[in-house]
Amino acid sequence: MLAHLRLYQLISPSLPIGAFTYSQGLEWAVEAGWVKDQASLQQWLEGVLQLSVARLELPVLIRLRQAMDIQDVKSTLHWSRYLYASRETSELRAEERQRGKALGVLLPSLGVEITPDLQPAIDMTQLAGMALASHHWQIPIEDLCTGYLWSWLENSVMAGVKLVPLGQTSGQRVLLDLSEQLPNLVELSLSITDEQVAGSTPALAIASARHETQYTRLFRS
């Protein structure tokens, strides 16, 4: 139970790493009319979940956690660099580093030691920090993956509710519908081999690139 409580803390929107300040291209997708209502928001998020989060981020998170468990610094650095290199835009790479560094500042205050050889990985991606914290608190990998998916989905839906805009009830319906897919996505991520770790979301990459110069923005670039 204590491990689950630590997981809830790690994925909480109140965790001070700025997750709520990013839209990952969604703000420009709304500006362009790609996302304009509940149905199109759900379609957008479903695509990102299936083609990026479950096939790139979760498999990398799994490998980072496994590397932390056996103190394999080389693999930790490899997969951190792999994820960072997979971010297609300067905005997405800046987000990865900013959230990673923020988590790196927070974790020692929560009793999670970051050794000097792990610091470059922690500073590169928040997933390395999550893997280290989950190792320290002995959070099971499957639970970590489910929690990460829920956190990503909740933050993305909250962004969509603000941007479209949608009512809170519509946002909860999107959460309800898409969360039903999370167990299967965790299973998928656990089955992916090293050679299959990759995402393919060209629309998100275009939206993120265009968001960097969007005239008015609510979310960080």
Side-chain angles (χ1 to χ4, degrees):
M1 181 175 290
L2 185 58
H4 285 142
L5 293 175
R6 293 293 175 260
L7 174 62
Y8 301 153
Q9 184 174 1
L10 192 59
I11 66 172
S12 170
S14 66
L15 196 74
I17 63 170
F20 64 91
T21 64
Y22 298 97
S23 76
Q24 297 186 338
L26 181 58
E27 186 164 19
W28 190 86
V30 171
E31 177 78 11
W34 295 356
V35 175
K36 56 184 181 295
D37 52 24
Q38 178 183 328
S40 55
L41 174 64
Q42 183 163 328
Q43 184 180 35
W44 176 273
L45 297 181
E46 183 176 19
V48 178
L49 271 173
Q50 294 181 354
L51 300 175
S52 178
V53 182
R55 297 176 185 273
L56 173 64
E57 293 175 36
L58 277 193
V60 169
L61 178 60
I62 290 166
R63 284 155 177 78
L64 287 171
R65 168 57 190 274
Q66 291 169 339
M68 295 292 183
D69 286 344
I70 60 174
Q71 299 181 342
D72 187 343
V73 176
K74 183 178 179 181
S75 290
T76 299
L77 291 171
H78 167 75
W79 287 110
S80 296
R81 290 170 181 146
Y82 187 92
L83 178 65
Y84 185 75
S86 299
R87 297 309 193 195
E88 301 98 326
T89 68
S90 61
E91 177 179 273
L92 292 174
R93 292 186 178 192
E95 175 186 353
E96 202 68 57
R97 282 194 173 276
Q98 287 160 0
R99 291 172 68 171
K101 289 181 178 179
L103 189 55
V105 170
L106 176 65
L107 288 179
S109 300
L110 302 180
V112 180
E113 180 186 1
I114 301 174
T115 57
D117 54 355
L118 289 177
Q119 194 68 56
I122 303 294
D123 288 344
M124 197 177 306
T125 169
Q126 64 163 337
L127 294 192
M130 293 188 73
L132 177 61
S134 70
H135 164 76
H136 179 80
W137 291 323
Q138 291 302 292
I139 298 169
I141 287 181
E142 292 84 353
D143 293 343
L144 173 65
C145 291
T146 303
Y148 179 80
L149 282 177
W150 174 261
S151 177
W152 181 91
L153 181 59
E154 184 179 32
N155 280 324
S156 299
V157 169
M158 288 169 58
V161 167
K162 293 176 184 177
L163 290 166
V164 174
L166 296 174
Q168 296 293 333
T169 301
S170 294
Q172 291 301 311
R173 290 195 190 106
V174 174
L175 269 175
L176 186 68
D177 289 345
L178 291 182
S179 64
E180 293 180 359
Q181 300 182 24
L182 301 191
N184 289 336
L185 293 178
V186 170
E187 286 188 21
L188 171 65
S189 68
L190 289 166
S191 70
I192 287 175
T193 65
D194 288 356
E195 294 77 14
Q196 295 172 328
V197 178
S200 179
T201 49
L204 185 150
I206 292 169
S208 174
R210 297 296 298 269
H211 183 252
E212 293 173 10
T213 57
Q214 189 170 329
Y215 180 66
T216 57
R217 295 190 299 259
L218 291 176
F219 288 85
R220 197 169 175 180
S221 180

